[in-house]
Amino acid sequence: MFTGIVQGTASVGTVQRQDKFSSLDIQFPAGKVDGIKIGASVAINGTCLTVTRIAEDTLSFDVMMETLRATNLGGLQPGSVVNFERSARVGDEIGGHNVSGHVHCTATIAAVEQTENNRRLTFAVSDPAFMKYVLPKGYIGVDGCSLTVGEVRGSSFSVYLIPETLRVTVFGVKGVGDSVNIEIETQTQAIVDTTERVVAQYLERIKGAGLPQ
């Protein structure tokens, strides 16, 4: 489990690609992975990965076929910059929202609008089926960062980022055309799915009873 409060950015060192499988070596800032152990979970661009090897401030991760398909990790190259967050511990402050690290789909940055004190990013979601869970003022995980949805239009949505978010995360360097990982907020998904199911059952009952809908 993660909080959606990105702890910083790290740099991809090496990428070893095999058939439907990749291994990543990622260099973290000094001191950021102190005390970590093999088997620990770390969110990389919002994707929960397991530490397989430790060499000082460099951690290694294995990435399986489904993760490569569903996320932007398959496009990483040596030198790529990624968001990271170590897994939350009992008692940690939840400064964002509960994030599982299970990415639902990807999105592409469609537009970037810069103002004096913030930046507006518009994302085009790869799978429009998930847009029913993206609601104005709701939570969403983007590359592991807990953000508040601004506007929603069709298969796109926007967010507004303050300078601190731009400083700490990859959003300070990403631009139009870049890919991001999207994780839908679980409570929103549960509410929408439950409402749809209950309404469908109600309509089916009144249809069977011959009552007006």
Side-chain angles (χ1 to χ4, degrees):
M1 185 65 69
F2 305 91
T3 69
I5 302 301
V6 170
Q7 295 168 338
T9 59
S11 178
V12 177
T14 61
V15 180
Q16 300 178 33
R17 290 188 171 87
Q18 303 177 43
D19 183 34
K20 301 178 181 178
F21 179 89
S22 289
S23 293
L24 304 174
D25 293 335
I26 298 180
Q27 175 74 41
F28 291 78
K32 290 294 186 179
V33 293
D34 287 353
I36 202 163
K37 298 179 180 180
I38 290 175
S41 296
V42 180
I44 301 297
N45 280 353
T47 308
C48 181
L49 299 179
T50 300
V51 177
T52 59
R53 190 171 69 250
I54 303 170
E56 297 182 347
D57 291 320
T58 297
L59 304 182
S60 299
F61 305 92
D62 292 337
V63 186
M64 305 299 290
M65 176 179 64
E66 174 61 15
T67 304
L68 294 172
R69 181 198 65 78
T71 74
N72 62 12
L73 300 189
L76 295 179
Q77 304 289 339
S80 294
V81 178
V82 295
N83 286 338
F84 75 87
E85 181 189 351
R86 294 178 62 172
S87 58
R89 296 173 295 182
V90 175
D92 282 353
E93 178 181 358
I94 306 298
H97 71 278
N98 287 330
V99 176
S100 68
H102 299 161
V103 172
H104 290 93
C105 65
T106 59
T108 302
I109 299 177
V112 178
E113 300 174 47
Q114 185 69 48
T115 64
E116 182 178 358
N117 295 312
N118 59 63
R119 181 177 299 177
R120 179 177 183 262
L121 299 184
T122 300
F123 301 97
V125 176
S126 62
D127 187 346
F130 288 106
M131 287 303 298
K132 64 182 179 181
Y133 307 117
V134 182
L135 306 175
K137 309 307 178 186
Y139 288 125
I140 194 165
V142 183
D143 270 351
C145 187
S146 173
L147 299 175
T148 301
V149 178
E151 298 83 18
V152 178
R153 295 180 181 175
S155 60
S156 299
F157 69 93
S158 63
V159 299
Y160 293 82
L161 305 179
I162 62 173
E164 176 64 10
T165 302
L166 297 174
R167 182 187 70 82
V168 175
T169 72
V170 295
F171 301 123
V173 297
K174 283 195 171 184
V176 173
D178 287 335
S179 176
V180 297
N181 292 327
I182 300 296
E183 181 183 333
I184 301 301
E185 200 271 320
T186 55
Q187 290 187 9
T188 301
Q189 185 176 20
I191 291 169
V192 171
D193 287 347
T194 300
T195 301
E196 286 186 341
R197 184 172 63 253
V198 170
V199 170
Q201 291 171 348
Y202 172 75
L203 293 176
E204 187 65 28
R205 284 199 301 270
I206 63 175
K207 180 180 178 181
L211 299 175
Q213 299 183 24

